[in-house]
Amino acid sequence: MSIRIPVRCLRTSSRSLARSKPLAFTNLKNIKLREPIVPTHQNFDVSPDHPLWAFFADGNESTAAFRESEDLDTSSRAWSFPELRRKSFEDLHKIWYLTLKERNILAREHKVASYYSYPKLDTYDDVDNKLKLTQKRIKQVLLERQVANERAQTLTEEQESYLNEFKQNYIEAGEADIISWNEKLIRLQYAFFGIEPQLQDYDLAQDINLTFIKGLDFVADLKVSRHLASNPDSISLPLNGVIEQLPFLLRSTEDAVNEVNALREAGHSVKLDKIDVLPFLRNALEKAIAEEAAEAEEDA
């Protein structure tokens, strides 16, 4: 059997209990306040590997929210066009992202400095303008290379004349100058035919095409013609298609001549049908890339 207590009784009892506990205030004069905590990153347990440290000039060694204007590198200048044109694609890529990183640091510092009404904000803008100019020039250099590459993909009479002149100069170059001419050949075969300087740079599905075959024919003919000028009986012409041309792209001229002669003696030199040329080149280059990678691991 349950007992029901009237709600009015509960309300009355709660008020009576509240009156039996008088309020008591502490003497405020005896309260001692602690020194305020300065809001810095040192008050927090921040991992030294935290990615946001990349937005600070000194990384996790930074002790201030922003650098003073005197600490900024105001004496430097933007990269010039001649300097950037001599850089490889990889170097331009690194310069671009290092510049972008510094601009991000400056943007954060400018924001914090403006919040504290720092008087010398123009210094941050001046440094950022130099970095921005470098990025604009990198874009211009890349555009120049793209245009030059697109123009070189379509051989014109003027380009054919240039290739013939280059071949003549290459064949007649002295031994003291051949290293320089080989470097020029690397740049030419990439610009005209898309033949990469390094094997690892190839996209075998896209780069091995009819233009590549034309370039392979040009390079092999160029090197074997120079070799025959001083060694007339070392190899007989013409070369038997891509099977005999490819060694002149992958190896030194002397090694390529020996390899071609060995292929002929063993009866392995055959003229491929057109449908088999591209698959053969892709398989041969894939094997050469794997061999080069294996040799690099052994040397390491």
Side-chain angles (χ1 to χ4, degrees):
M1 180 175 180
S2 61
I3 300 175
R4 300 180 63 182
I5 300 176
V7 176
R8 184 170 58 81
C9 296
L10 292 175
R11 292 177 178 174
T12 305
S13 61
S14 63
R15 285 197 296 269
S16 63
L17 288 173
R19 294 192 188 100
S20 65
K21 296 180 180 180
L23 298 175
F25 296 96
T26 305
N27 187 358
L28 299 180
K29 295 181 179 180
N30 296 329
I31 296 177
K32 295 182 179 180
L33 299 177
R34 294 181 299 176
E35 292 292 331
I37 299 175
V38 180
T40 68
H41 71 274
Q42 296 175 347
N43 303 138
F44 304 94
D45 185 15
V46 181
S47 170
D49 298 329
H50 198 286
L52 288 181
W53 282 121
F55 288 90
F56 290 81
D58 297 324
N60 57 19
E61 301 295 330
S62 300
T63 58
F66 62 93
R67 291 169 291 179
E68 301 288 340
S69 59
E70 294 79 8
D71 297 330
L72 297 177
D73 184 9
T74 57
S75 61
S76 61
R77 58 170 177 81
W79 284 74
S80 66
F81 278 117
E83 291 170 335
L84 293 172
R85 289 187 180 112
R86 289 194 294 267
K87 296 298 180 180
S88 65
F89 285 103
E90 291 76 13
D91 289 339
L92 290 178
H93 185 270
K94 293 176 184 178
I95 294 172
W96 174 273
Y97 277 100
L98 288 174
T99 303
L100 180 63
K101 178 181 178 181
E102 183 62 23
R103 290 194 66 195
N104 285 334
I105 294 173
L106 284 170
R108 184 197 60 79
E109 290 180 326
H110 186 282
K111 188 70 174 180
V112 175
S114 62
Y115 177 80
Y116 287 103
S117 301
Y118 187 69
K120 299 180 180 180
L121 294 178
D122 291 343
T123 308
Y124 296 91
D125 294 332
D126 292 341
V127 177
D128 184 66
N129 287 335
K130 296 176 184 177
L131 296 169
K132 188 187 300 183
L133 180 58
T134 293
Q135 289 187 313
K136 288 182 178 179
R137 289 174 175 173
I138 290 175
K139 286 183 177 181
Q140 179 63 31
V141 169
L142 292 176
L143 179 60
E144 291 174 357
R145 293 185 182 182
Q146 180 183 358
V147 171
N149 183 62
E150 290 175 352
R151 288 177 178 174
Q153 297 307 310
T154 304
L155 294 179
T156 62
E157 292 183 2
E158 182 179 352
Q159 290 167 343
E160 287 284 5
S161 175
Y162 177 82
L163 290 177
N164 292 332
E165 181 181 355
F166 183 93
K167 177 180 178 180
Q168 189 66 28
N169 291 333
Y170 184 90
I171 294 173
E172 296 176 354
E175 291 299 324
D177 300 326
I178 193 58
I179 295 178
S180 174
W181 278 100
N182 281 329
E183 292 175 353
K184 293 178 182 179
L185 176 60
I186 291 174
R187 294 193 293 269
L188 179 143
Q189 65 191 28
Y190 177 75
F192 276 73
F193 307 107
I195 297 177
E196 297 284 354
Q198 302 293 332
L199 284 174
Q200 289 77 9
D201 295 336
Y202 277 109
D203 180 349
L204 297 179
Q206 300 294 330
D207 296 340
I208 311 306
N209 48 35
L210 295 179
T211 304
F212 179 90
I213 295 174
K214 291 180 182 178
L216 180 60
D217 179 67
F218 174 80
V219 172
D221 179 63
L222 183 71
K223 291 184 176 180
V224 76
S225 296
R226 175 179 171 81
H227 183 77
L228 286 173
S230 55
N231 304 275
D233 300 326
S234 59
I235 188 173
S236 59
L237 295 180
L239 295 176
N240 195 16
V242 295
I243 287 182
E244 294 187 357
Q245 292 170 343
L246 187 59
F248 289 92
L249 182 65
L250 300 178
R251 318 191 203 297
S252 67
T253 303
E254 291 75 11
D255 290 343
V257 168
N258 293 334
E259 182 173 338
V260 170
N261 286 330
L263 286 172
R264 291 176 176 179
E265 291 176 3
H268 296 157
S269 178
V270 295
K271 187 77 171 181
L272 296 177
D273 294 331
K274 289 185 178 180
I275 195 173
D276 296 324
V277 170
L278 292 179
F280 167 80
L281 288 174
R282 292 184 180 120
N283 291 334
L285 287 172
E286 184 178 9
K287 181 179 178 182
I289 292 171
E291 291 176 353
E292 187 175 272
E295 291 177 1
E297 289 183 2
E298 291 180 1
D299 294 339

